[in-house]
Amino acid sequence: MQRIGVLTSGGDSSGMNAAIRAVVRKAIYHGLEVIGIRRGYTGFVEADMDPMNLGSVADIVHRGGTILRTARSEVFSTPEGRKKAYDNVKRFGLQGLVVIGGDGSFRGALAFHKEYGLPVMGVPGTIDNDINGTDYSIGFDTAVNTVVDAVNKIRDTATSHERTFIIEVMGRESGNIALHAGLASGAETIMIPEVPLGIDDICEKLNRGHRRGKLHSIIIVAEGAASGIEIGRLIKEKTGFDTKVTILGHIQRGGTPTAFDRILASSLGAKAVELLMKGEKNKMVGMVSGKVVSKDLQEAISSSKNIAMDMYDLAGILSI
Ligand code: ADP
């Protein structure tokens, strides 16, 4: 193997840059050449790609976002689009491809491999942490820490004004950010798409807390579980408590990656190159129980990851 490509695709996440750096430097260390493909599969189809060197990835290990930029590409979902991408594989002499992204990006990589045989390696990068076969995906830890930081600030006001604060966080289909940030910030209630929770149960818990003298309450809602604004309105209607809603939105995606995300990204990016060099293909690298592992890409995308119910139950016990 002499030359590989690397791209970031789908939603960006903090630590993707550290993963790009690891891919490029590990490959160059072993004498490979690396072609950086811009704007995900869009650049793959449009030949928006250039060789990268050691300097191309200097000074990015601590930066959020992705220097290669990212995109969602309609055209790559079509056989014609993928044919154009294959023409570029030949033109640039690529013998392997590292795709840093979420399960959608992995589906694209696998479809491409099935048609054209190019070995592909998936590196999980998504704040949702919803990918099977890895305990953590790149960007999740940074997103959770951003939420916890925000809740710390909101908590000061919540205590001072004796209010109920509802904080809506990202996670359309996955409650992972809400669950982890909720446990870490001592939220009274955590609403996630995986566990339906009735408004009466939420109000009952708030009333109980109020009776035992709680000054404030924090409720964390994953966007896929309910609308924070709607929950705030219902609580006010049913309990009379003053409610304030904060929707954290896109601040959860960016920002400087945590040390954990940088280490994860560096380890997984390097492993992806190592596996390609060994002649492996269609794998996803991941971290399980603190160890870097690889799984079949097909297995990683075939079902979604289960939420840690023991963690959910613990959060309920500790916030009683
Ligand atoms: P994420 O990787 O964050 O889950 P998306 O689901 O938006 O992001 O997927 C990123 C891109 O991957 C899509 O815009 C598309 O170009 C490509 N893709 C997704 N699914 C397929 C598929 N079944 N076949 C080909 N390409 C796909």
Side-chain angles (χ1 to χ4, degrees), residues 75-86 108 111-112 115-116:
V75 67
F76 192 74
S77 299
T78 67
E80 298 75 36
R82 291 195 294 275
K83 167 76 178 60
K84 281 191 186 156
Y86 184 61
F112 191 71
E115 282 165 337
Y116 297 107

Side-chain angles (χ1 to χ4, degrees), residues 9-12 16 40-42 70-78 82 99-112 125-126 130-131 253:
S9 166
D12 71 309
M16 280 184 162
Y41 293 127
T42 306
T70 183
R72 296 199 159 90
S73 164
E74 298 258 313
V75 67
F76 192 74
S77 299
T78 67
R82 291 195 294 275
V99 172
I100 305 165
D103 57 347
S105 303
F106 294 168
R107 257 180 217 108
L110 207 54
F112 191 71
T126 161
D130 56 351
I131 299 179
R253 265 195 203 280

Side-chain angles (χ1 to χ4, degrees), residues 160-202:
S160 308
H161 287 274
E162 304 186 16
R163 280 172 181 155
T164 299
F165 270 81
I166 294 118
I167 297 143
E168 186 185 302
V169 303
M170 280 183 166
R172 265 191 219 118
E173 271 129 48
S174 163
N176 270 312
I177 294 180
L179 176 55
H180 284 244
L183 178 59
S185 55
E188 272 69 31
T189 299
I190 301 169
M191 297 180 71
I192 56 177
E194 295 86 345
V195 183
L197 202 57
I199 190 72
D200 290 335
D201 293 335
I202 297 170

Side-chain angles (χ1 to χ4, degrees), residues 1 3-7 35 37 41 44 76 89 94-99 109 112 118-122 276:
M1 180 160 292
R3 191 176 295 163
I4 61 170
V6 58
L7 59 80
I35 304 290
I37 303 164
Y41 293 127
F44 199 28
F76 192 74
V89 166
L94 300 182
Q95 293 160 317
L97 178 69
V98 178
V99 172
F112 191 71
L118 183 74
V120 291
M121 279 294 152
L276 278 176

